[in-house]
Amino acid sequence: MLISHTLLVPHLPTLMIDDQRGHRSGMVNALREASQRLFDEIPSALVVVSARWGTPGPFMVDAAEQHDLPVASGGYTVGGRYRGPGHPALAKALVKAGVSAGVRVIALTRRVDTGIAVPMHFLVPARDLPVVPVSVVNQSIDDCRRWGAAIRQALEAWPERAAFIVSGLLTFNLHAWSLHRAVPEGLDFDQRTIDALKEGRWSDLVDYDERTLERIQPEARLRHLEVLRGFLGEDVKGILHCYESDAGVGAALIEFPVPGAMPPTRPADVAAPEPGREPRGDTA
């Protein structure tokens, strides 16, 4: 069963540094709020596509029972480690659905990357919710969409409530970021991409020439968004909760409604009655 929304979330390790230093930036606050909305729908597991886990193919699903990783990327090392449970049974169900849909996909175990560790630091602070990481591959857009649709099929058939999250940036020019050099074209690319997602114009995501893309360096060539598009099944409109940019990097937190999915029947903020006590009704 699916929860009623999905998320595009950023993964920069500097967000964790901000959090550890008590710097409540707009993105840190937005991620905390997204965590609350996520848990309001009582998911039992998360499937997370990581744009940082890029492969030439096939698609890969991490079937580890436990995840463990020191968080470090691009010269930034963040204190502590990400440790949390996996979900081998759900991982195998994803692979089965992908194979049935004609997608080249395999299960394996690996150390999770910052594409998983950073957003989970904010979305699942207690580290108690099983996570199944999924890779992005440099294959055709049709393959990515077909894989996204297969993931949805598997989660719709899963007997427990599950959430789908895509971890990735809009632009990530690592060279420019490391040297603190601005890439003006990247800001325009970010804004046009955000506008397309907010307005449901998903076809505009591929409307860029190769030379521009080489300079801007969209993360994973936006293949993670094509997986998301396949998962949604429709060109739905997203809700932008936060956008932040730095030299060569554009990060957005965007929420998308999942067509056909329903919220839980019992709101998460309505506490179950204490043992031995009956819930009170209206006294009027």
Side-chain angles (χ1 to χ4, degrees), residues 192-226:
R192 290 176 63 185
T193 300
I194 289 171
D195 288 345
L197 295 175
K198 288 169 58 179
E199 297 168 14
R201 295 183 287 102
W202 289 72
S203 295
D204 289 355
L205 296 178
V206 297
D207 189 23
Y208 294 90
D209 64 89
E210 187 66 23
R211 186 173 181 179
T212 301
L213 293 176
E214 284 294 334
R215 177 167 174 76
I216 293 172
Q217 294 292 305
E219 184 162 42
R221 290 298 180 97
L222 299 187
R223 291 296 192 267
H224 53 305
L225 294 184
E226 297 298 345

Side-chain angles (χ1 to χ4, degrees), residues 78-95:
V78 182
R81 304 173 71 88
Y82 174 83
R83 292 188 177 94
H87 202 315
L90 180 54
K92 292 177 182 177
L94 293 173
V95 172

Side-chain angles (χ1 to χ4, degrees), residues 43-59:
S44 63
L46 303 180
V47 174
V48 185
V49 172
S50 171
R52 299 305 299 153
W53 185 9
T55 65
F59 289 98

Side-chain angles (χ1 to χ4, degrees), residues 38-222:
L38 177 68
F39 276 90
D40 281 348
E41 299 214 26
I42 325 174
S44 63
L46 303 180
V47 174
V48 185
V49 172
S50 171
R52 299 305 299 153
W53 185 9
T55 65
F59 289 98
M60 299 182 182
V61 179
D62 191 338
E65 293 186 2
Q66 286 288 135
H67 303 303
D68 186 359
L69 177 76
V71 182
S73 177
Y76 291 89
T77 300
V78 182
R81 304 173 71 88
Y82 174 83
R83 292 188 177 94
H87 202 315
L90 180 54
K92 292 177 182 177
L94 293 173
V95 172
K96 182 178 180 181
V99 172
S100 297
V103 178
R104 294 178 59 241
V105 53
I106 61 173
L108 47 70
T109 60
R110 70 186 290 268
R111 301 177 73 186
V112 296
D113 52 43
T114 52
I116 304 297
V118 173
M120 292 305 100
H121 169 82
F122 295 98
L123 297 180
V124 191
R127 310 287 200 273
D128 57 353
L129 193 63
V131 175
V132 179
V134 177
S135 76
V136 172
V137 302
N138 186 24
Q139 297 292 328
S140 72
I141 289 175
D142 288 341
D143 285 341
C144 293
R145 293 176 188 169
R146 188 162 59 250
W147 174 224
I151 292 174
R152 173 166 183 155
Q153 182 181 27
L155 297 187
E156 286 179 329
W158 193 249
E160 299 175 329
R161 296 183 65 80
F164 179 71
I165 293 171
V166 174
S167 169
L169 302 171
L170 303 179
T171 49
F172 189 23
N173 186 324
L174 182 58
H175 180 70
W177 188 47
S178 300
L179 297 178
H180 304 288
R181 290 179 178 173
V183 182
E185 300 96 328
L187 295 173
D188 178 68
F189 179 93
D190 289 346
Q191 190 58 59
R192 290 176 63 185
T193 300
I194 289 171
D195 288 345
L197 295 175
K198 288 169 58 179
E199 297 168 14
R201 295 183 287 102
W202 289 72
S203 295
D204 289 355
L205 296 178
V206 297
D207 189 23
Y208 294 90
D209 64 89
E210 187 66 23
R211 186 173 181 179
T212 301
L213 293 176
E214 284 294 334
R215 177 167 174 76
I216 293 172
Q217 294 292 305
E219 184 162 42
R221 290 298 180 97
L222 299 187

